[in-house]
Amino acid sequence: MSIDAARPRAPIDVMRARAETPGTRHVAHFNNAGAALLPQPVLDAVAEHQELEARIGGYEAEARNGAKLEAVYDSIARLLSCDRTEIALVESATAAWDMAFNAVASLPGGGFRPGDRILTARAEYSANIIPFLQAARRTGVTVEVIPSDETGQTSVDALEAMVAESGQGRGTGRVALIAITHIPTNGGLVNPAAAIGRVARRHGIPYLLDACQTVGQIPVDVEDLGCDFLSATGRKFLRGPRGTGFLYVRKDWLDRIEPHTLDHSGAALVAADRYEMRPDARRFELWECNVAARIGLGAAVDYALSWGLEAIRDRAFGLAETLRRRLAELPGVTVRDLGAERCAIVTFTVDGREPRAIKEALGGQGINVSVSSAASTRFDMDARGLTDLVRASPHYYNSEEEVERLVTAVRGE
Ligand SMILES: Cc1ncc(COP(=O)(O)O)c(C=O)c1O
């Protein structure tokens, strides 16, 4: 199957999207925030390369498909509206985020110092909070959560006030990093990432954006967002293979940012005692990788672009809003999503029912949902006094009938 990446189409042809998604014949998949069902073009791209590896050898297959591998950077650059030299391919969003975080932490001449402040969001993902705590222990930085506004999203006014405190005789240090999650793992919230980016840029503060749940779900433009670094994964709303992800590094940083882990592909050993880093963001890559998965990631990006990210967002958000409305009508069900604008991640609880038991019961009926636990978004869940939530995350290829099936199954619980 060929991919027509050139022409965005709207609205979504749901029949075609489902026909091109073999998994829809087996499950009603509402776990796109976990890992989405792969479309046929992605399956084909991965299988073709793996077969080639088996036939002619791994290095030889990489050489033959070199152009395809290079094209992955162009595809992601289109997706984010950035330059291909600003992209590094890695294994996961966490790998991307950690690379950026650790590089900022140890920036030559500007790394974290005792008393520096990291400002983050209440909805921050736990895999990011743990490195914050490590950095606090190792370097003496403090980690501060930006309060949320009355809708539950990160308050830009509160951020402004916290930045204004810095170095103004109130004993607060420099803000060394703003690191927030755009769309959290545990609900429909969409944080005002672009407004936060404007604050960061105005004050010259490095800005690291976790866009793991964002890419493939809504349009992303790194210029609008104003972020210096953006981390993302392939397997969620982008519908790429597992074990893929990428890091965006704004060009301005490439003259000074050095990966914490640097190998002989990210840098050249030009003399026995001297190395030179690559000029582009690919210095953040390590030599060995799953080439088939990376080619599959490129196919997934092209496939998403061929539908158009606006069309994808509109349909996925629409299905999620229907699901929220229908769930809220059920006795004992509480929808838990925050924010002024709500995305395609729906979370809810049912009085007297354990979320894990609901997930299991739905799974038995061929309906995939997941459970968001407090440990994955500790700041937010503790602040709201929540433990586990049922999470249902539709995508554009889900049908209205599947939404009704899910609602009926929850009612029958
Ligand atoms: C908001 C957010 N950030 C980061 C991650 C981590 O992504 P990965 O598992 O690809 O490292 C997740 C995964 O669920 C997530 O939801």
Side-chain angles (χ1 to χ4, degrees):
M1 188 178 296
S2 74
I3 305 164
D4 177 2
R7 263 182 309 134
R9 302 182 188 87
I12 299 286
D13 176 349
V14 182
M15 296 276 280
R16 179 166 77 82
R18 293 179 69 76
E20 291 173 2
T21 305
T24 58
R25 296 195 271 284
H26 306 281
V27 286
H29 192 66
F30 289 97
N31 193 14
N32 294 288
L37 295 179
L38 301 191
Q40 194 63 47
V42 174
L43 286 170
D44 291 346
V46 174
E48 267 168 33
H49 188 79
Q50 261 172 353
E51 278 159 18
L52 191 63
E53 283 186 346
R55 213 165 53 244
I56 68 168
Y59 291 8
E60 294 73 11
E62 179 174 351
R64 190 175 295 179
N65 272 341
K68 276 193 193 169
L69 200 50
E70 282 302 313
V72 180
Y73 298 88
D74 297 309
S75 298
I76 296 174
R78 274 187 69 201
L79 182 74
L80 305 185
S81 294
C82 68
D83 196 273
R84 72 194 307 280
T85 60
E86 297 174 304
I87 299 299
L89 300 180
V90 294
E91 296 74 31
S92 67
T94 301
W97 191 97
D98 280 351
M99 296 230 184
F101 180 74
N102 287 320
V104 173
S106 57
L107 203 60
F112 293 166
R113 298 186 298 254
D116 278 356
R117 308 161 73 199
I118 297 172
L119 305 186
T120 189
R122 205 174 83 172
E124 197 64 8
Y125 191 62
S126 63
N128 307 343
I129 297 173
I130 291 166
F132 289 157
L133 299 179
Q134 285 184 305
R137 182 164 45 80
R138 289 175 183 157
T139 69
V141 290
T142 62
V143 180
E144 297 171 38
V145 178
I146 308 161
S148 298
D149 67 15
E150 62 291 347
T151 72
Q153 64 184 33
T154 302
S155 165
V156 180
D157 290 343
L159 170 64
E160 280 279 12
M162 291 169 91
V163 170
E165 281 174 5
S166 269
Q168 294 194 334
R170 297 180 55 185
T172 59
R174 146 188 101 125
V175 178
L177 180 68
I178 296 172
I180 67 144
T181 294
H182 189 192
I183 292 179
T185 189
N186 70 331
L189 177 69
V190 183
N191 267 326
I196 290 168
R198 286 193 286 278
V199 176
R201 297 206 108 179
R202 200 167 335 111
H203 296 278
I205 301 167
Y207 179 25
L208 166 56
L209 184 66
D210 177 335
C212 183
Q213 297 288 0
T214 313
V215 294
Q217 186 181 172
I218 63 177
V220 172
D221 180 328
V222 288
E223 259 337 292
D224 282 356
L225 292 171
C227 54
D228 296 292
F229 310 95
L230 177 147
S231 56
T233 199
R235 73 182 182 281
K236 297 181 186 288
F237 286 94
L238 258 184
R239 309 183 64 195
R242 295 198 62 175
T244 59
F246 55 89
L247 172 66
Y248 158 80
V249 181
R250 183 175 291 279
K251 234 186 208 140
D252 310 348
W253 284 86
L254 292 172
D255 60 352
R256 61 191 188 287
I257 194 111
E258 175 154 353
H260 183 262
T261 306
L262 186 62
D263 79 357
H264 56 306
S265 66
L269 197 56
V270 291
D273 60 354
R274 199 162 56 82
Y275 61 86
E276 277 174 14
M277 285 191 291
R278 283 184 64 114
D280 56 19
R282 281 155 83 167
R283 71 184 64 163
F284 286 95
E285 297 179 1
L286 297 179
W287 192 85
E288 174 56 359
C289 68
N290 185 334
V291 176
R294 287 190 175 177
I295 290 175
L297 173 66
V301 173
D302 291 345
Y303 191 69
L305 289 169
S306 77
W307 289 106
L309 271 303
E310 285 86 2
I312 288 174
R313 173 200 54 205
D314 292 351
R315 175 154 177 89
F317 279 29
L319 287 175
E321 224 21 77
T322 305
L323 180 57
R324 281 188 194 101
R325 184 173 43 74
R326 299 283 290 117
L327 286 171
E329 290 164 5
L330 302 182
V333 173
T334 308
V335 174
R336 300 289 181 174
D337 299 329
L338 301 175
E341 177 193 20
R342 295 188 298 183
C343 72
I345 302 178
V346 179
T347 48
F348 62 96
T349 51
V350 183
D351 291 348
R353 297 280 306 169
E354 280 300 320
R356 276 169 217 287
I358 295 173
K359 171 184 176 287
E360 291 308 316
L362 295 177
Q365 299 172 54
I367 302 172
N368 294 345
V369 296
S370 60
V371 172
S372 256
S373 68
S376 66
T377 40
R378 181 57 76 187
F379 296 153
D380 175 53
M381 297 287 267
D382 285 359
R384 290 198 277 159
L386 296 170
T387 49
D388 289 344
L389 304 174
V390 184
R391 183 181 72 178
S393 44
H395 212 341
Y396 63 94
Y397 61 78
N398 285 114
S399 66
E400 282 73 6
E401 291 71 26
E402 286 179 322
V403 171
E404 271 318 302
R405 254 181 77 197
L406 171 55
V407 173
T408 304
V410 173
R411 188 173 44 223
E413 275 302 298

